[in-house]
Amino acid sequence: MSNEHKHTKLGQFFATAICGNDILSSALYVSGIAALFAGIYAPIVLLCVGVVLLLYRSVYREVVEALPVNGGAYNALLNSASKGVASVAGTMTVLSYIATAVISAKTAIEYLFQFIRPLFETMHLQVSAETFRELVVPFTIVILFAFALLVIAGVKDSAKVVAGIFSLHLVTLTLFIIIGVIFWITKGGNSIILHNIAVTKDIVANNGGLLNTIFLAFSVSLLGISGFESSANFVEEQQPGVFKKTLRNMTAGVTVFNPLIAAVCLLVLPMVEIINGKDFLLASVAFKFGGMILLGLIAIDAFLVLCGAVLTSYVGVSGLMYRMSLDHILPQFFSKKNNKGSYTRIILLFFALCLSILLVTRGDLLSLAGVYTISFLSVMTLFAVGNLILRRTRRELKRPYRAPVIVVILAALSTIVGIIGNIQVDHQNVMYFLIYFIPAILIVMTMLFKRDFLLTVGHIVGFIPKLKQYINGRIDLITESHYYVFLHDMSNIFPALEYINRNENGKNVTFVHCQDKDQVNLCDDVLESVRVFKKSGVFPHMNINCNHIDKKFGPETVREFTEQNNISPSKVFIGSIHETHEFDYQDFGGVRIILE
C-alpha cells in the first residue's frame, strides 16, 4: 500500500484538542473542590498542581519518545519491567477510565440541568430543585448507555468535531474569566472577599492548620490533571514531534485556566454558595454575572466537553483492554470485534462497571473523585517508576530526550503525596477503589499465572476424571503457546529464556537470527547453549529452536516474518533499539522489548 493511502496522522492542534478536552474538562469541577478544601487559597493550590504537570512533562516525554506506541503506563512497564507490573498499571488505568466516564457524564447532566431549570421557570413550568437532583443519576445512566451504543455502532473520535468542541471550550473559559474580572471591577466589592477570608479561617482551623489545609486541598485538586496521560494513549496517531507539544499545551492550559477560574469564583461568589454548587460551580457563577446567555454558553460547552470525555473513555478503554487481551493479561474473550470494528464485549463490561460504581457511590462527586484520583495518580506514579526502571533495564534504548533523575523522583513523590492525602480526606475512597481493584487484579493475575492456577485446580478436582481431563487439555493448549525472540547476541539467550519463563505460560521458544553479509549464523551456537542449559537442569520444560533469516534485521524483516508465519506481534520479542540503528521502535508495530 502506498503512503498516499495511509491515514493522515494528527498535527499539533488536533492532537491537543483530543487530550485537551479531557484535561481541561476538569476546569468545570476542580475549582469547586479546591475552594471547598482551601477557601481563598484555591488558586495557589491549583498553581502547585500545575507544577506537578511541569514535572511529569519530562517524565512522559522521555518514556513515550523512547517507546512511542499506544498504551501509556501499561506499555512503558511492559517494555521495561514485567507483565505483572504492567498488568497493575493497566488495571488502574481501566479504573481511571471508569471514574472518568462516570464523573464526566454526571457533571455534564448537572450543568445541563442548571440551564434547563431556570429555562423552565421562564416558561412558568414549575419543577422543584429536588426533582432535578433525583433525575441526575438516571440521566447519567442514559448518557453512559447512549455512548456505549454509539461506540458499539462504530462511532469513534472525529478529530474535526473534537477540535470544534475544544475551540468552543477555550473561548468559553476565556470569556468566563474576562467577564468575571470586569464584573468584579465594576460591580464587585470587598464584602464577598472578606466573607470568603473569614470562612477560609474556619476551614484552616477545622483542618488543623494552614499546612494541612494546603496538603489536603492539593491532594484532592490533583483531579485537575486527570487526562494528562491521554496523549500517551494515542501517540501512534500523532505526527513526529507532536507528542511533546501536546504535553506543553496541556500543562499551559491547566496552569493558566484553573487558578484564574478559581480566583474569579472566589471574587464574585460567597463560600456558602460555592460549597452548595461545587458540582456545577461555573454555571452558578456565570448566571450571577452573565445571566441566562452566559449560563447557557457555559452549560452547553460543559455538556459537549464532558460528553467528549465520556466518548474518549470508551474508545481509550477499548484499545487498552484489547491490547491486554492480546498479551494474555485479560481473557481472549475480549479480543473479539464486531462487524463495525468495535469491541462489543469490552464496551458492555465497561458500561456495567460504570453503572455499578455510580450506584455504589450514589453519584457523590467527592466519592467518585476520590476513586478517580487514587486510580490515575497511581497510574502516573507507576509511569514515573517505569521511567526509573527503563533507565536501569534499557540503558542503551534510543531516546531523543532524557529527564533529570531528580525531576522524575519529585514527580513520583508529588503524586504519592496526593494518594496519601486523598486517603486521609475520606477513608471510604480506598474502600470504593479496592472494591473494583481487587476483583480486577485477581482476574488479571489468574490470567498471568493461568497455567499454575489450572495445575492447582487439577490437583484439587483430580477425583473427577472428565473435569481433570478437560483441565489437562486446557493446560496443554496454554503450554503450546509459541514465542519468537530476534537475537543479535549470544549473551542474550539466558535473559530471554528467563524473561519468558517468568512472564509467559507457553513453553515453545524460537530464536530468530538475522544473518546479513559477513555475519555468522548463530543458530548452531544457540542450540549448543540450550543443550548446556538443559543438561544443567535449566529450562528443562522448554522446547527451544532457532531459525536464521538471510536478511538484515529491521522493521521490514520482522513484519515480513510475522506475516508469512501468521504470528501476532505481541508474541515477538526484540532487544533495545540503540542510537546506532537507523529505525525507531514504533516502526516494529507492537513487538515487545525484553532485552538490553
Side-chain angles (χ1 to χ4, degrees):
M1 183 180 289
S2 67
N3 291 335
E4 294 177 344
H5 297 294
K6 291 181 179 178
H7 72 278
T8 304
K9 292 198 173 185
L10 300 170
Q12 180 183 175
F13 178 69
F14 286 114
T16 300
I18 292 172
C19 51
N21 278 335
D22 200 358
I23 195 167
L24 281 182
S25 66
S26 65
L28 297 163
Y29 46 79
V30 76
S31 295
I33 293 174
L36 179 65
F37 281 86
I40 61 169
Y41 298 109
I44 297 171
V45 168
L46 292 172
L47 276 174
C48 293
V49 170
V51 173
V52 174
L53 275 194
L54 196 61
L55 296 172
Y56 267 100
R57 266 180 66 187
S58 296
V59 177
Y60 272 73
R61 182 182 171 189
E62 178 180 356
V63 175
V64 176
E65 287 188 348
L67 300 167
V69 295
N70 297 347
Y74 169 75
N75 177 65
L77 290 162
L78 186 66
N79 285 282
S80 63
S82 67
K83 284 180 74 173
V85 177
S87 66
V88 173
T91 304
M92 287 183 174
T93 304
V94 171
L95 291 181
S96 178
Y97 275 128
I98 292 169
T100 301
V102 175
I103 289 177
S104 299
K106 179 179 180 292
T107 309
I109 294 299
E110 294 272 15
Y111 270 93
L112 192 63
F113 281 2
Q114 289 308 302
F115 177 60
I116 292 175
R117 186 185 169 196
L119 203 62
F120 276 17
E121 290 176 356
T122 61
M123 295 185 292
H124 305 291
L125 298 172
Q126 297 301 318
V127 182
S128 68
E130 182 62 32
T131 300
F132 275 106
R133 278 194 294 272
E134 290 174 355
L135 289 173
V136 167
V137 170
F139 273 86
T140 300
I141 295 171
V142 170
I143 290 287
L144 291 169
F145 186 63
F147 277 96
L149 294 179
L150 282 173
V151 177
I152 289 172
V155 178
K156 296 185 178 181
D157 277 327
S158 167
K160 290 182 179 180
V161 173
V162 171
I165 294 173
F166 181 64
S167 300
L168 173 65
H169 192 47
L170 289 179
V171 170
T172 302
L173 294 181
T174 303
L175 278 176
F176 178 88
I177 293 168
I178 292 172
I179 296 173
V181 171
I182 293 172
F183 177 86
W184 176 68
I185 292 172
T186 57
K187 298 182 181 180
N190 293 327
S191 59
I192 290 176
I193 297 174
L194 292 173
H195 167 79
N196 288 344
I197 290 173
V199 174
T200 301
K201 288 179 179 178
D202 292 336
I203 292 173
V204 171
N206 291 335
N207 287 333
L210 180 59
L211 190 61
N212 196 51
T213 297
I214 298 296
F215 162 62
L216 295 176
F218 169 78
S219 299
V220 297
S221 298
L222 283 171
L223 185 65
I225 65 175
S226 59
F228 189 71
E229 73 283 0
S230 60
S231 185
N233 286 323
F234 67 96
V235 66
E236 291 180 57
E237 281 71 55
Q238 299 174 31
Q239 294 175 7
V242 165
F243 176 72
K244 63 182 179 182
K245 295 176 182 178
T246 65
L247 297 182
R248 178 199 64 196
N249 297 341
M250 286 190 289
T251 302
V254 167
T255 307
V256 171
F257 280 111
N258 287 359
L260 286 176
I261 288 170
V264 167
C265 293
L266 288 162
L267 286 172
V268 303
L269 213 63
M271 277 298 299
V272 174
E273 294 182 37
I274 289 175
I275 293 168
N276 290 336
K278 66 181 185 300
D279 292 358
F280 41 82
L281 181 58
L282 270 65
S284 301
V285 177
F287 183 70
K288 180 168 184 176
F289 58 65
M292 283 296 294
I293 294 176
L294 188 58
L295 171 59
L297 178 61
I298 289 288
I300 292 168
D301 169 63
F303 184 78
L304 291 174
V305 169
L306 291 163
C307 282
V310 175
L311 180 59
T312 300
S313 297
Y314 273 108
V315 174
V317 82
S318 297
L320 176 61
M321 290 181 70
Y322 173 69
R323 173 68 190 273
M324 290 173 73
S325 68
L326 288 183
D327 291 327
H328 301 279
I329 291 175
L330 288 175
Q332 292 286 293
F333 173 83
F334 292 115
S335 63
K336 186 176 175 62
K337 292 183 181 181
N338 64 17
N339 56 7
K340 299 290 185 180
S342 299
Y343 307 100
T344 304
R345 294 168 179 177
I346 292 175
I347 297 303
L348 291 178
L349 174 64
F350 185 71
F351 169 71
L353 291 171
C354 289
L355 179 61
S356 65
I357 200 171
L358 177 66
L359 297 177
V360 166
T361 60
R362 298 179 182 178
D364 179 66
L365 180 61
L366 288 178
S367 295
L368 289 167
V371 176
Y372 187 18
T373 309
I374 291 173
S375 300
F376 89 81
L377 288 183
S378 298
V379 171
M380 292 189 76
T381 303
L382 284 172
F383 207 102
V385 171
N387 182 295
L388 296 172
I389 294 173
L390 197 70
R391 291 164 183 266
R392 184 174 61 83
T393 61
R394 307 286 181 261
R395 290 185 296 273
E396 300 302 318
L397 179 66
K398 183 191 290 189
R399 39 166 74 78
Y401 171 79
R402 291 178 185 268
V405 176
I406 186 63
V407 169
V408 180
I409 293 171
L410 287 174
L413 288 175
S414 67
T415 44
I416 289 170
V417 165
I419 293 168
I420 295 169
N422 275 280
I423 293 171
Q424 185 175 326
V425 166
D426 188 349
H427 296 302
Q428 277 198 319
N429 291 339
V430 181
M431 182 192 72
Y432 291 139
F433 172 77
L434 291 177
I435 285 173
Y436 290 88
F437 178 75
I438 290 175
I441 202 66
L442 284 175
I443 293 170
V444 165
M445 289 301 165
T446 300
M447 287 297 299
L448 275 176
F449 304 103
K450 57 179 174 284
R451 180 176 172 274
D452 296 330
F453 174 74
L454 289 173
L455 282 170
T456 302
V457 173
H459 287 308
I460 295 171
V461 300
F463 61 92
I464 308 175
K466 286 189 177 181
L467 185 56
K468 173 81 171 176
Q469 185 180 359
Y470 172 78
I471 291 173
N472 287 338
R474 296 298 301 174
I475 293 171
D476 290 341
L477 192 63
I478 291 166
T479 54
E480 286 306 311
S481 293
H482 213 129
Y483 307 98
Y484 301 83
V485 182
F486 278 78
L487 187 72
H488 66 277
D489 191 330
M490 287 291 294
S491 64
N492 284 326
I493 296 174
F494 183 84
L497 293 174
E498 186 182 41
Y499 177 91
I500 294 169
N501 189 49
R502 191 174 65 249
N503 290 277
E504 307 295 342
N505 290 289
K507 65 179 182 180
N508 296 304
V509 179
T510 296
F511 287 102
V512 183
H513 177 243
C514 293
Q515 185 179 352
D516 182 44
K517 294 182 181 177
D518 298 329
Q519 289 181 334
V520 178
N521 181 1
L522 294 180
C523 279
D524 289 340
D525 293 335
V526 169
L527 294 176
E528 179 58 33
S529 293
V530 169
R531 280 192 288 270
V532 172
F533 288 152
K534 292 202 171 188
K535 193 173 181 180
S536 304
V538 181
F539 313 121
H541 61 289
M542 285 188 168
N543 297 324
I544 304 167
N545 295 298
C546 185
N547 288 344
H548 77 272
I549 300 175
D550 291 321
K551 288 185 178 180
K552 185 179 180 180
F553 174 75
E556 289 301 324
T557 302
V558 174
R559 190 176 301 113
E560 185 179 304
F561 177 80
T562 56
E563 289 176 356
Q564 286 179 353
N565 295 282
N566 195 27
I567 300 166
S568 168
S570 65
K571 292 191 174 184
V572 176
F573 305 147
I574 64 172
S576 295
I577 307 304
H578 297 173
E579 296 290 346
T580 55
H581 288 127
E582 60 190 20
F583 40 76
D584 295 313
Y585 172 67
Q586 71 264 32
D587 300 330
F588 286 86
V591 303
R592 195 188 314 171
I593 292 177
I594 68 167
L595 302 167
E596 179 50 79

